[in-house]
Amino acid sequence: AQKVTQAQTEISVVEKEDVTLDCVYETRDTTYYLFWYKQPPSGELVFLIRRNSFDEQNEISGRYSWNFQKSTSSFNFTITASQVVDSAVYFCALSEGPERGNKLVFGAGTILRVKS
Amino acid sequence: GAGVSQTPSNKVTEKGKYVELRCDPISGHTALYWYRQSLGQGPEFLIYFQGTGAADDSGLPNDRFFAVRPEGSVSTLKIQRTERGDSAVYLCASSVTGDALSYEQYFGPGTRLTVT
């Protein structure tokens, strides 16, 4: 069965600190897709990244980077030099693709608070 | 361009009443999804449309919930005989297509349903 675990319920950091949000997933499929979404206080989910299971290259986008490790079933997200505007709830999600309806299975989310 | 829109943004109804929630996806997106998000939790999948047909309705909690997408664009989620446990934020998402890869889903702002 599909499952996503975000063990960190809440993280507080001071501005400019680096922070890593953990995500561990379970799936029976060999082809799957992983996502990160941000939900700021306004409430709207914002897509950040999609990673395919067959592409283990790590990715960097500005202050954001993602570390995908199939061997440990993890897809962690690091924010470098955090800013107050990064404060939000971050969700990791898994999809097993079109054969399973492309539905996203979300983790419980990690609340990130960045203090000035 | 315009994102996913949902109306109403808030809905308060009495227990036992019928409600309809509307979703207008991004123009050209053939796949449409409904999720439900309870307080402090990640979104949970309800139903997925590819075009006009419901390709996967496995997440609908019971037969009080029903959704349609008659012309392959706008979708309506219908809840009969509402119960207090139905109170949540109902999220709609759309993606370019759902029949190949698992493309990223773009979410609307949600409808907050409160059943009193």
PDB file of all heavy atoms in Angstrom, chain A residues 33 35 37 39 44-45 47 50 91 95 98 100-104 106-108, chain B residues 33 35 37 42-43 45 48 58 91 98 100-105 107-109:
ATOM      1  N   TYR A  33       6.003   8.399  -8.522  1.00  0.00           N
ATOM      2  CA  TYR A  33       6.332   9.820  -8.644  1.00  0.00           C
ATOM      3  C   TYR A  33       6.220  10.464  -7.273  1.00  0.00           C
ATOM      4  O   TYR A  33       5.295  10.172  -6.509  1.00  0.00           O
ATOM      5  CB  TYR A  33       5.369  10.507  -9.624  1.00  0.00           C
ATOM      6  CG  TYR A  33       5.308   9.804 -10.950  1.00  0.00           C
ATOM      7  CD1 TYR A  33       4.489   8.696 -11.132  1.00  0.00           C
ATOM      8  CD2 TYR A  33       6.094  10.217 -12.008  1.00  0.00           C
ATOM      9  CE1 TYR A  33       4.450   8.015 -12.331  1.00  0.00           C
ATOM     10  CE2 TYR A  33       6.062   9.557 -13.227  1.00  0.00           C
ATOM     11  CZ  TYR A  33       5.237   8.453 -13.377  1.00  0.00           C
ATOM     12  OH  TYR A  33       5.210   7.785 -14.576  1.00  0.00           O
ATOM     13  N   PHE A  35       6.378  14.144  -4.928  1.00  0.00           N
ATOM     14  CA  PHE A  35       6.097  15.569  -5.047  1.00  0.00           C
ATOM     15  C   PHE A  35       6.322  16.246  -3.695  1.00  0.00           C
ATOM     16  O   PHE A  35       6.193  15.633  -2.642  1.00  0.00           O
ATOM     17  CB  PHE A  35       4.631  15.797  -5.425  1.00  0.00           C
ATOM     18  CG  PHE A  35       4.201  15.150  -6.716  1.00  0.00           C
ATOM     19  CD1 PHE A  35       3.887  13.803  -6.768  1.00  0.00           C
ATOM     20  CD2 PHE A  35       4.101  15.899  -7.871  1.00  0.00           C
ATOM     21  CE1 PHE A  35       3.483  13.201  -7.955  1.00  0.00           C
ATOM     22  CE2 PHE A  35       3.694  15.317  -9.068  1.00  0.00           C
ATOM     23  CZ  PHE A  35       3.382  13.959  -9.104  1.00  0.00           C
ATOM     24  N   TYR A  37       4.788  19.885  -1.933  1.00  0.00           N
ATOM     25  CA  TYR A  37       3.902  21.033  -2.033  1.00  0.00           C
ATOM     26  C   TYR A  37       4.096  21.904  -0.804  1.00  0.00           C
ATOM     27  O   TYR A  37       4.379  21.416   0.284  1.00  0.00           O
ATOM     28  CB  TYR A  37       2.438  20.595  -2.082  1.00  0.00           C
ATOM     29  CG  TYR A  37       1.973  20.072  -3.427  1.00  0.00           C
ATOM     30  CD1 TYR A  37       2.181  18.739  -3.778  1.00  0.00           C
ATOM     31  CD2 TYR A  37       1.335  20.906  -4.338  1.00  0.00           C
ATOM     32  CE1 TYR A  37       1.755  18.260  -5.008  1.00  0.00           C
ATOM     33  CE2 TYR A  37       0.908  20.438  -5.576  1.00  0.00           C
ATOM     34  CZ  TYR A  37       1.124  19.116  -5.890  1.00  0.00           C
ATOM     35  OH  TYR A  37       0.702  18.645  -7.125  1.00  0.00           O
ATOM     36  N   GLN A  39       2.116  24.826   1.588  1.00  0.00           N
ATOM     37  CA  GLN A  39       0.822  25.407   1.921  1.00  0.00           C
ATOM     38  C   GLN A  39       1.045  26.573   2.875  1.00  0.00           C
ATOM     39  O   GLN A  39       1.165  26.399   4.075  1.00  0.00           O
ATOM     40  CB  GLN A  39      -0.108  24.366   2.538  1.00  0.00           C
ATOM     41  CG  GLN A  39      -1.552  24.854   2.687  1.00  0.00           C
ATOM     42  CD  GLN A  39      -2.497  23.733   3.091  1.00  0.00           C
ATOM     43  OE1 GLN A  39      -2.204  22.928   3.952  1.00  0.00           O
ATOM     44  NE2 GLN A  39      -3.664  23.691   2.439  1.00  0.00           N
ATOM     45  N   GLU A  44      -3.556  27.924   0.068  1.00  0.00           N
ATOM     46  CA  GLU A  44      -3.512  27.284  -1.244  1.00  0.00           C
ATOM     47  C   GLU A  44      -2.245  26.454  -1.399  1.00  0.00           C
ATOM     48  O   GLU A  44      -1.149  26.943  -1.149  1.00  0.00           O
ATOM     49  CB  GLU A  44      -3.581  28.357  -2.333  1.00  0.00           C
ATOM     50  CG  GLU A  44      -3.843  27.814  -3.716  1.00  0.00           C
ATOM     51  CD  GLU A  44      -4.485  28.843  -4.625  1.00  0.00           C
ATOM     52  OE1 GLU A  44      -5.043  29.844  -4.128  1.00  0.00           O
ATOM     53  OE2 GLU A  44      -4.420  28.640  -5.849  1.00  0.00           O
ATOM     54  N   LEU A  45      -2.388  25.217  -1.818  1.00  0.00           N
ATOM     55  CA  LEU A  45      -1.244  24.330  -2.036  1.00  0.00           C
ATOM     56  C   LEU A  45      -0.477  24.780  -3.276  1.00  0.00           C
ATOM     57  O   LEU A  45      -1.046  24.938  -4.349  1.00  0.00           O
ATOM     58  CB  LEU A  45      -1.721  22.898  -2.225  1.00  0.00           C
ATOM     59  CG  LEU A  45      -2.046  22.116  -0.960  1.00  0.00           C
ATOM     60  CD1 LEU A  45      -2.896  20.914  -1.297  1.00  0.00           C
ATOM     61  CD2 LEU A  45      -0.778  21.687  -0.256  1.00  0.00           C
ATOM     62  N   PHE A  47       2.625  23.855  -5.841  1.00  0.00           N
ATOM     63  CA  PHE A  47       3.509  22.799  -6.320  1.00  0.00           C
ATOM     64  C   PHE A  47       4.949  23.289  -6.295  1.00  0.00           C
ATOM     65  O   PHE A  47       5.252  24.400  -6.732  1.00  0.00           O
ATOM     66  CB  PHE A  47       3.098  22.425  -7.744  1.00  0.00           C
ATOM     67  CG  PHE A  47       4.106  21.605  -8.486  1.00  0.00           C
ATOM     68  CD1 PHE A  47       4.237  20.251  -8.226  1.00  0.00           C
ATOM     69  CD2 PHE A  47       4.923  22.183  -9.438  1.00  0.00           C
ATOM     70  CE1 PHE A  47       5.162  19.496  -8.908  1.00  0.00           C
ATOM     71  CE2 PHE A  47       5.854  21.438 -10.126  1.00  0.00           C
ATOM     72  CZ  PHE A  47       5.976  20.083  -9.867  1.00  0.00           C
ATOM     73  N   ARG A  50       8.323  17.761  -8.811  1.00  0.00           N
ATOM     74  CA  ARG A  50       7.973  16.371  -9.093  1.00  0.00           C
ATOM     75  C   ARG A  50       9.257  15.616  -9.426  1.00  0.00           C
ATOM     76  O   ARG A  50      10.116  16.127 -10.149  1.00  0.00           O
ATOM     77  CB  ARG A  50       7.027  16.277 -10.287  1.00  0.00           C
ATOM     78  CG  ARG A  50       6.654  14.853 -10.643  1.00  0.00           C
ATOM     79  CD  ARG A  50       5.889  14.793 -11.919  1.00  0.00           C
ATOM     80  NE  ARG A  50       6.750  15.110 -13.075  1.00  0.00           N
ATOM     81  CZ  ARG A  50       6.449  14.850 -14.324  1.00  0.00           C
ATOM     82  NH1 ARG A  50       5.301  14.282 -14.606  1.00  0.00           N
ATOM     83  NH2 ARG A  50       7.252  15.177 -15.305  1.00  0.00           N
ATOM     84  N   PHE A  91       4.165  19.619   2.423  1.00  0.00           N
ATOM     85  CA  PHE A  91       3.662  18.260   2.258  1.00  0.00           C
ATOM     86  C   PHE A  91       4.491  17.521   1.220  1.00  0.00           C
ATOM     87  O   PHE A  91       4.768  18.042   0.134  1.00  0.00           O
ATOM     88  CB  PHE A  91       2.207  18.279   1.782  1.00  0.00           C
ATOM     89  CG  PHE A  91       1.228  18.762   2.814  1.00  0.00           C
ATOM     90  CD1 PHE A  91       0.795  20.078   2.814  1.00  0.00           C
ATOM     91  CD2 PHE A  91       0.742  17.902   3.791  1.00  0.00           C
ATOM     92  CE1 PHE A  91      -0.095  20.536   3.762  1.00  0.00           C
ATOM     93  CE2 PHE A  91      -0.154  18.350   4.746  1.00  0.00           C
ATOM     94  CZ  PHE A  91      -0.578  19.664   4.724  1.00  0.00           C
ATOM     95  N   SER A  95       2.623   9.429  -5.894  1.00  0.00           N
ATOM     96  CA  SER A  95       1.658   8.917  -6.853  1.00  0.00           C
ATOM     97  C   SER A  95       2.239   7.676  -7.505  1.00  0.00           C
ATOM     98  O   SER A  95       3.418   7.653  -7.853  1.00  0.00           O
ATOM     99  CB  SER A  95       1.359   9.974  -7.919  1.00  0.00           C
ATOM    100  OG  SER A  95       0.685   9.396  -9.019  1.00  0.00           O
ATOM    101  N   PRO A  98      -0.582   6.523 -13.592  1.00  0.00           N
ATOM    102  CA  PRO A  98      -1.911   6.428 -14.198  1.00  0.00           C
ATOM    103  C   PRO A  98      -2.621   5.108 -13.935  1.00  0.00           C
ATOM    104  O   PRO A  98      -3.856   5.078 -13.875  1.00  0.00           O
ATOM    105  CB  PRO A  98      -1.633   6.615 -15.689  1.00  0.00           C
ATOM    106  CG  PRO A  98      -0.173   6.434 -15.874  1.00  0.00           C
ATOM    107  CD  PRO A  98       0.468   6.802 -14.589  1.00  0.00           C
ATOM    108  N   ARG A 100      -2.850   3.605 -11.264  1.00  0.00           N
ATOM    109  CA  ARG A 100      -3.492   3.698  -9.948  1.00  0.00           C
ATOM    110  C   ARG A 100      -4.222   5.039  -9.828  1.00  0.00           C
ATOM    111  O   ARG A 100      -4.441   5.530  -8.728  1.00  0.00           O
ATOM    112  CB  ARG A 100      -2.458   3.570  -8.844  1.00  0.00           C
ATOM    113  CG  ARG A 100      -1.582   2.353  -9.016  1.00  0.00           C
ATOM    114  CD  ARG A 100      -1.631   1.437  -7.833  1.00  0.00           C
ATOM    115  NE  ARG A 100      -0.596   0.425  -7.936  1.00  0.00           N
ATOM    116  CZ  ARG A 100      -0.803  -0.785  -8.430  1.00  0.00           C
ATOM    117  NH1 ARG A 100      -2.000  -1.134  -8.845  1.00  0.00           N
ATOM    118  NH2 ARG A 100       0.182  -1.655  -8.520  1.00  0.00           N
ATOM    119  N   GLY A 101      -4.547   5.604 -10.970  1.00  0.00           N
ATOM    120  CA  GLY A 101      -5.383   6.803 -10.978  1.00  0.00           C
ATOM    121  C   GLY A 101      -4.668   8.106 -10.720  1.00  0.00           C
ATOM    122  O   GLY A 101      -5.304   9.144 -10.580  1.00  0.00           O
ATOM    123  N   ASN A 102      -3.371   8.074 -10.663  1.00  0.00           N
ATOM    124  CA  ASN A 102      -2.595   9.296 -10.462  1.00  0.00           C
ATOM    125  C   ASN A 102      -2.897  10.019  -9.154  1.00  0.00           C
ATOM    126  O   ASN A 102      -2.460  11.140  -8.957  1.00  0.00           O
ATOM    127  CB  ASN A 102      -2.818  10.297 -11.607  1.00  0.00           C
ATOM    128  CG  ASN A 102      -2.014   9.915 -12.831  1.00  0.00           C
ATOM    129  OD1 ASN A 102      -0.911   9.421 -12.714  1.00  0.00           O
ATOM    130  ND2 ASN A 102      -2.578  10.138 -13.990  1.00  0.00           N
ATOM    131  N   LYS A 103      -3.663   9.373  -8.281  1.00  0.00           N
ATOM    132  CA  LYS A 103      -4.014  10.086  -7.059  1.00  0.00           C
ATOM    133  C   LYS A 103      -2.776  10.296  -6.211  1.00  0.00           C
ATOM    134  O   LYS A 103      -1.866   9.475  -6.178  1.00  0.00           O
ATOM    135  CB  LYS A 103      -5.057   9.317  -6.276  1.00  0.00           C
ATOM    136  CG  LYS A 103      -4.632   7.932  -5.852  1.00  0.00           C
ATOM    137  CD  LYS A 103      -5.812   7.184  -5.267  1.00  0.00           C
ATOM    138  CE  LYS A 103      -5.450   5.733  -4.979  1.00  0.00           C
ATOM    139  NZ  LYS A 103      -6.661   4.920  -4.676  1.00  0.00           N
ATOM    140  N   LEU A 104      -2.765  11.419  -5.539  1.00  0.00           N
ATOM    141  CA  LEU A 104      -1.669  11.743  -4.640  1.00  0.00           C
ATOM    142  C   LEU A 104      -1.994  11.247  -3.245  1.00  0.00           C
ATOM    143  O   LEU A 104      -3.101  11.458  -2.743  1.00  0.00           O
ATOM    144  CB  LEU A 104      -1.443  13.253  -4.599  1.00  0.00           C
ATOM    145  CG  LEU A 104      -0.945  13.895  -5.889  1.00  0.00           C
ATOM    146  CD1 LEU A 104      -0.899  15.413  -5.742  1.00  0.00           C
ATOM    147  CD2 LEU A 104       0.438  13.370  -6.246  1.00  0.00           C
ATOM    148  N   PHE A 106      -0.728  11.934   0.421  1.00  0.00           N
ATOM    149  CA  PHE A 106       0.051  12.954   1.118  1.00  0.00           C
ATOM    150  C   PHE A 106       0.512  12.471   2.488  1.00  0.00           C
ATOM    151  O   PHE A 106      -0.165  11.669   3.146  1.00  0.00           O
ATOM    152  CB  PHE A 106      -0.794  14.212   1.347  1.00  0.00           C
ATOM    153  CG  PHE A 106      -1.006  15.042   0.111  1.00  0.00           C
ATOM    154  CD1 PHE A 106      -2.013  14.744  -0.781  1.00  0.00           C
ATOM    155  CD2 PHE A 106      -0.195  16.143  -0.147  1.00  0.00           C
ATOM    156  CE1 PHE A 106      -2.219  15.514  -1.921  1.00  0.00           C
ATOM    157  CE2 PHE A 106      -0.389  16.923  -1.277  1.00  0.00           C
ATOM    158  CZ  PHE A 106      -1.405  16.602  -2.171  1.00  0.00           C
ATOM    159  N   GLY A 107       1.645  12.998   2.916  1.00  0.00           N
ATOM    160  CA  GLY A 107       2.028  12.859   4.311  1.00  0.00           C
ATOM    161  C   GLY A 107       1.222  13.835   5.156  1.00  0.00           C
ATOM    162  O   GLY A 107       0.430  14.627   4.637  1.00  0.00           O
ATOM    163  N   ALA A 108       1.447  13.784   6.458  1.00  0.00           N
ATOM    164  CA  ALA A 108       0.694  14.634   7.375  1.00  0.00           C
ATOM    165  C   ALA A 108       1.173  16.078   7.370  1.00  0.00           C
ATOM    166  O   ALA A 108       0.508  16.960   7.916  1.00  0.00           O
ATOM    167  CB  ALA A 108       0.769  14.066   8.791  1.00  0.00           C
TER     168      ALA A 108
ATOM    169  N   TYR B  33      -9.201  16.436 -10.059  1.00  0.00           N
ATOM    170  CA  TYR B  33      -9.182  15.664  -8.823  1.00  0.00           C
ATOM    171  C   TYR B  33      -9.892  16.450  -7.712  1.00  0.00           C
ATOM    172  O   TYR B  33      -9.784  17.670  -7.650  1.00  0.00           O
ATOM    173  CB  TYR B  33      -7.744  15.406  -8.364  1.00  0.00           C
ATOM    174  CG  TYR B  33      -6.844  14.813  -9.417  1.00  0.00           C
ATOM    175  CD1 TYR B  33      -6.271  15.598 -10.407  1.00  0.00           C
ATOM    176  CD2 TYR B  33      -6.553  13.444  -9.408  1.00  0.00           C
ATOM    177  CE1 TYR B  33      -5.446  15.053 -11.368  1.00  0.00           C
ATOM    178  CE2 TYR B  33      -5.728  12.893 -10.374  1.00  0.00           C
ATOM    179  CZ  TYR B  33      -5.175  13.702 -11.355  1.00  0.00           C
ATOM    180  OH  TYR B  33      -4.356  13.153 -12.315  1.00  0.00           O
ATOM    181  N   TYR B  35     -10.011  16.439  -3.455  1.00  0.00           N
ATOM    182  CA  TYR B  35      -9.406  15.977  -2.214  1.00  0.00           C
ATOM    183  C   TYR B  35     -10.151  16.642  -1.052  1.00  0.00           C
ATOM    184  O   TYR B  35     -10.809  17.671  -1.219  1.00  0.00           O
ATOM    185  CB  TYR B  35      -7.926  16.374  -2.131  1.00  0.00           C
ATOM    186  CG  TYR B  35      -7.018  15.703  -3.126  1.00  0.00           C
ATOM    187  CD1 TYR B  35      -6.889  16.192  -4.419  1.00  0.00           C
ATOM    188  CD2 TYR B  35      -6.270  14.581  -2.770  1.00  0.00           C
ATOM    189  CE1 TYR B  35      -6.057  15.584  -5.336  1.00  0.00           C
ATOM    190  CE2 TYR B  35      -5.431  13.965  -3.684  1.00  0.00           C
ATOM    191  CZ  TYR B  35      -5.325  14.477  -4.963  1.00  0.00           C
ATOM    192  OH  TYR B  35      -4.499  13.867  -5.872  1.00  0.00           O
ATOM    193  N   GLN B  37      -9.365  17.933   3.003  1.00  0.00           N
ATOM    194  CA  GLN B  37      -8.323  18.172   3.986  1.00  0.00           C
ATOM    195  C   GLN B  37      -8.949  18.567   5.314  1.00  0.00           C
ATOM    196  O   GLN B  37      -9.585  19.616   5.436  1.00  0.00           O
ATOM    197  CB  GLN B  37      -7.353  19.267   3.515  1.00  0.00           C
ATOM    198  CG  GLN B  37      -6.163  19.464   4.446  1.00  0.00           C
ATOM    199  CD  GLN B  37      -5.150  20.472   3.932  1.00  0.00           C
ATOM    200  OE1 GLN B  37      -5.460  21.324   3.110  1.00  0.00           O
ATOM    201  NE2 GLN B  37      -3.918  20.375   4.388  1.00  0.00           N
ATOM    202  N   GLY B  42      -2.923  16.082   6.011  1.00  0.00           N
ATOM    203  CA  GLY B  42      -2.704  16.251   4.585  1.00  0.00           C
ATOM    204  C   GLY B  42      -3.989  15.973   3.817  1.00  0.00           C
ATOM    205  O   GLY B  42      -4.903  15.326   4.329  1.00  0.00           O
ATOM    206  N   PRO B  43      -4.076  16.467   2.592  1.00  0.00           N
ATOM    207  CA  PRO B  43      -5.259  16.194   1.771  1.00  0.00           C
ATOM    208  C   PRO B  43      -5.437  14.698   1.521  1.00  0.00           C
ATOM    209  O   PRO B  43      -4.464  13.959   1.397  1.00  0.00           O
ATOM    210  CB  PRO B  43      -4.943  16.925   0.458  1.00  0.00           C
ATOM    211  CG  PRO B  43      -3.942  17.967   0.822  1.00  0.00           C
ATOM    212  CD  PRO B  43      -3.129  17.364   1.916  1.00  0.00           C
ATOM    213  N   PHE B  45      -7.433  11.916  -0.992  1.00  0.00           N
ATOM    214  CA  PHE B  45      -8.052  11.760  -2.308  1.00  0.00           C
ATOM    215  C   PHE B  45      -9.506  11.340  -2.195  1.00  0.00           C
ATOM    216  O   PHE B  45      -9.879  10.488  -1.379  1.00  0.00           O
ATOM    217  CB  PHE B  45      -7.263  10.702  -3.083  1.00  0.00           C
ATOM    218  CG  PHE B  45      -7.917  10.252  -4.356  1.00  0.00           C
ATOM    219  CD1 PHE B  45      -7.848  11.043  -5.493  1.00  0.00           C
ATOM    220  CD2 PHE B  45      -8.596   9.057  -4.416  1.00  0.00           C
ATOM    221  CE1 PHE B  45      -8.443  10.628  -6.672  1.00  0.00           C
ATOM    222  CE2 PHE B  45      -9.188   8.628  -5.590  1.00  0.00           C
ATOM    223  CZ  PHE B  45      -9.113   9.416  -6.713  1.00  0.00           C
ATOM    224  N   TYR B  48     -11.252  11.138  -9.089  1.00  0.00           N
ATOM    225  CA  TYR B  48     -10.432  11.613 -10.204  1.00  0.00           C
ATOM    226  C   TYR B  48     -11.227  11.469 -11.498  1.00  0.00           C
ATOM    227  O   TYR B  48     -11.812  10.414 -11.768  1.00  0.00           O
ATOM    228  CB  TYR B  48      -9.136  10.794 -10.232  1.00  0.00           C
ATOM    229  CG  TYR B  48      -8.432  10.638 -11.564  1.00  0.00           C
ATOM    230  CD1 TYR B  48      -8.078  11.740 -12.327  1.00  0.00           C
ATOM    231  CD2 TYR B  48      -8.092   9.373 -12.033  1.00  0.00           C
ATOM    232  CE1 TYR B  48      -7.413  11.587 -13.534  1.00  0.00           C
ATOM    233  CE2 TYR B  48      -7.415   9.213 -13.231  1.00  0.00           C
ATOM    234  CZ  TYR B  48      -7.087  10.318 -13.981  1.00  0.00           C
ATOM    235  OH  TYR B  48      -6.410  10.160 -15.170  1.00  0.00           O
ATOM    236  N   SER B  58     -12.579   5.798  -5.779  1.00  0.00           N
ATOM    237  CA  SER B  58     -12.340   4.937  -4.622  1.00  0.00           C
ATOM    238  C   SER B  58     -12.213   5.700  -3.313  1.00  0.00           C
ATOM    239  O   SER B  58     -12.316   5.109  -2.236  1.00  0.00           O
ATOM    240  CB  SER B  58     -11.085   4.098  -4.840  1.00  0.00           C
ATOM    241  OG  SER B  58      -9.958   4.931  -4.982  1.00  0.00           O
ATOM    242  N   LEU B  91     -10.678  20.421  -1.611  1.00  0.00           N
ATOM    243  CA  LEU B  91      -9.719  20.947  -2.572  1.00  0.00           C
ATOM    244  C   LEU B  91      -9.930  20.307  -3.938  1.00  0.00           C
ATOM    245  O   LEU B  91     -10.169  19.105  -4.037  1.00  0.00           O
ATOM    246  CB  LEU B  91      -8.291  20.653  -2.117  1.00  0.00           C
ATOM    247  CG  LEU B  91      -7.851  21.288  -0.805  1.00  0.00           C
ATOM    248  CD1 LEU B  91      -6.537  20.669  -0.330  1.00  0.00           C
ATOM    249  CD2 LEU B  91      -7.681  22.779  -0.971  1.00  0.00           C
ATOM    250  N   GLY B  98      -4.017  12.818 -17.404  1.00  0.00           N
ATOM    251  CA  GLY B  98      -3.810  11.802 -16.383  1.00  0.00           C
ATOM    252  C   GLY B  98      -3.534  10.451 -16.984  1.00  0.00           C
ATOM    253  O   GLY B  98      -3.414   9.475 -16.277  1.00  0.00           O
ATOM    254  N   ALA B 100      -0.946   9.366 -18.971  1.00  0.00           N
ATOM    255  CA  ALA B 100       0.427   8.966 -19.298  1.00  0.00           C
ATOM    256  C   ALA B 100       1.260   9.012 -18.025  1.00  0.00           C
ATOM    257  O   ALA B 100       1.148   8.180 -17.179  1.00  0.00           O
ATOM    258  CB  ALA B 100       0.996   9.855 -20.390  1.00  0.00           C
ATOM    259  N   LEU B 101       2.032  10.014 -17.879  1.00  0.00           N
ATOM    260  CA  LEU B 101       2.810  10.168 -16.666  1.00  0.00           C
ATOM    261  C   LEU B 101       1.945  10.762 -15.570  1.00  0.00           C
ATOM    262  O   LEU B 101       0.825  11.178 -15.813  1.00  0.00           O
ATOM    263  CB  LEU B 101       3.993  11.100 -16.917  1.00  0.00           C
ATOM    264  CG  LEU B 101       4.981  10.673 -17.994  1.00  0.00           C
ATOM    265  CD1 LEU B 101       6.053  11.744 -18.146  1.00  0.00           C
ATOM    266  CD2 LEU B 101       5.608   9.348 -17.623  1.00  0.00           C
ATOM    267  N   SER B 102       2.488  10.782 -14.384  1.00  0.00           N
ATOM    268  CA  SER B 102       1.766  11.430 -13.290  1.00  0.00           C
ATOM    269  C   SER B 102       2.204  12.878 -13.242  1.00  0.00           C
ATOM    270  O   SER B 102       3.154  13.226 -12.565  1.00  0.00           O
ATOM    271  CB  SER B 102       2.063  10.724 -11.977  1.00  0.00           C
ATOM    272  OG  SER B 102       1.222  11.196 -10.959  1.00  0.00           O
ATOM    273  N   TYR B 103       1.522  13.715 -13.983  1.00  0.00           N
ATOM    274  CA  TYR B 103       1.890  15.115 -14.042  1.00  0.00           C
ATOM    275  C   TYR B 103       1.534  15.822 -12.747  1.00  0.00           C
ATOM    276  O   TYR B 103       0.661  15.401 -12.005  1.00  0.00           O
ATOM    277  CB  TYR B 103       1.183  15.799 -15.207  1.00  0.00           C
ATOM    278  CG  TYR B 103       1.718  15.360 -16.551  1.00  0.00           C
ATOM    279  CD1 TYR B 103       1.079  14.385 -17.296  1.00  0.00           C
ATOM    280  CD2 TYR B 103       2.875  15.923 -17.067  1.00  0.00           C
ATOM    281  CE1 TYR B 103       1.580  13.965 -18.514  1.00  0.00           C
ATOM    282  CE2 TYR B 103       3.383  15.517 -18.281  1.00  0.00           C
ATOM    283  CZ  TYR B 103       2.734  14.540 -19.009  1.00  0.00           C
ATOM    284  OH  TYR B 103       3.227  14.138 -20.212  1.00  0.00           O
ATOM    285  N   GLU B 104       2.203  16.929 -12.533  1.00  0.00           N
ATOM    286  CA  GLU B 104       1.924  17.705 -11.340  1.00  0.00           C
ATOM    287  C   GLU B 104       0.483  18.215 -11.364  1.00  0.00           C
ATOM    288  O   GLU B 104      -0.051  18.577 -12.412  1.00  0.00           O
ATOM    289  CB  GLU B 104       2.898  18.878 -11.212  1.00  0.00           C
ATOM    290  CG  GLU B 104       3.055  19.706 -12.446  1.00  0.00           C
ATOM    291  CD  GLU B 104       4.227  19.242 -13.302  1.00  0.00           C
ATOM    292  OE1 GLU B 104       4.536  18.030 -13.287  1.00  0.00           O
ATOM    293  OE2 GLU B 104       4.829  20.095 -13.961  1.00  0.00           O
ATOM    294  N   GLN B 105      -0.113  18.213 -10.187  1.00  0.00           N
ATOM    295  CA  GLN B 105      -1.469  18.690 -10.015  1.00  0.00           C
ATOM    296  C   GLN B 105      -1.421  20.088  -9.423  1.00  0.00           C
ATOM    297  O   GLN B 105      -0.670  20.346  -8.478  1.00  0.00           O
ATOM    298  CB  GLN B 105      -2.243  17.737  -9.099  1.00  0.00           C
ATOM    299  CG  GLN B 105      -2.399  16.350  -9.712  1.00  0.00           C
ATOM    300  CD  GLN B 105      -3.035  15.355  -8.776  1.00  0.00           C
ATOM    301  OE1 GLN B 105      -3.780  15.728  -7.861  1.00  0.00           O
ATOM    302  NE2 GLN B 105      -2.786  14.086  -8.997  1.00  0.00           N
ATOM    303  N   PHE B 107      -3.502  23.032  -7.547  1.00  0.00           N
ATOM    304  CA  PHE B 107      -4.652  23.080  -6.639  1.00  0.00           C
ATOM    305  C   PHE B 107      -5.334  24.442  -6.627  1.00  0.00           C
ATOM    306  O   PHE B 107      -4.688  25.488  -6.801  1.00  0.00           O
ATOM    307  CB  PHE B 107      -4.198  22.746  -5.211  1.00  0.00           C
ATOM    308  CG  PHE B 107      -3.964  21.280  -4.983  1.00  0.00           C
ATOM    309  CD1 PHE B 107      -2.802  20.674  -5.417  1.00  0.00           C
ATOM    310  CD2 PHE B 107      -4.931  20.502  -4.359  1.00  0.00           C
ATOM    311  CE1 PHE B 107      -2.584  19.313  -5.226  1.00  0.00           C
ATOM    312  CE2 PHE B 107      -4.735  19.150  -4.157  1.00  0.00           C
ATOM    313  CZ  PHE B 107      -3.560  18.549  -4.593  1.00  0.00           C
ATOM    314  N   GLY B 108      -6.630  24.405  -6.390  1.00  0.00           N
ATOM    315  CA  GLY B 108      -7.396  25.615  -6.149  1.00  0.00           C
ATOM    316  C   GLY B 108      -7.321  26.019  -4.691  1.00  0.00           C
ATOM    317  O   GLY B 108      -6.717  25.323  -3.880  1.00  0.00           O
ATOM    318  N   PRO B 109      -7.965  27.143  -4.344  1.00  0.00           N
ATOM    319  CA  PRO B 109      -7.898  27.659  -2.969  1.00  0.00           C
ATOM    320  C   PRO B 109      -8.751  26.884  -1.981  1.00  0.00           C
ATOM    321  O   PRO B 109      -8.604  27.054  -0.776  1.00  0.00           O
ATOM    322  CB  PRO B 109      -8.408  29.093  -3.112  1.00  0.00           C
ATOM    323  CG  PRO B 109      -9.293  29.047  -4.316  1.00  0.00           C
ATOM    324  CD  PRO B 109      -8.689  28.034  -5.238  1.00  0.00           C
TER     325      PRO B 109
END
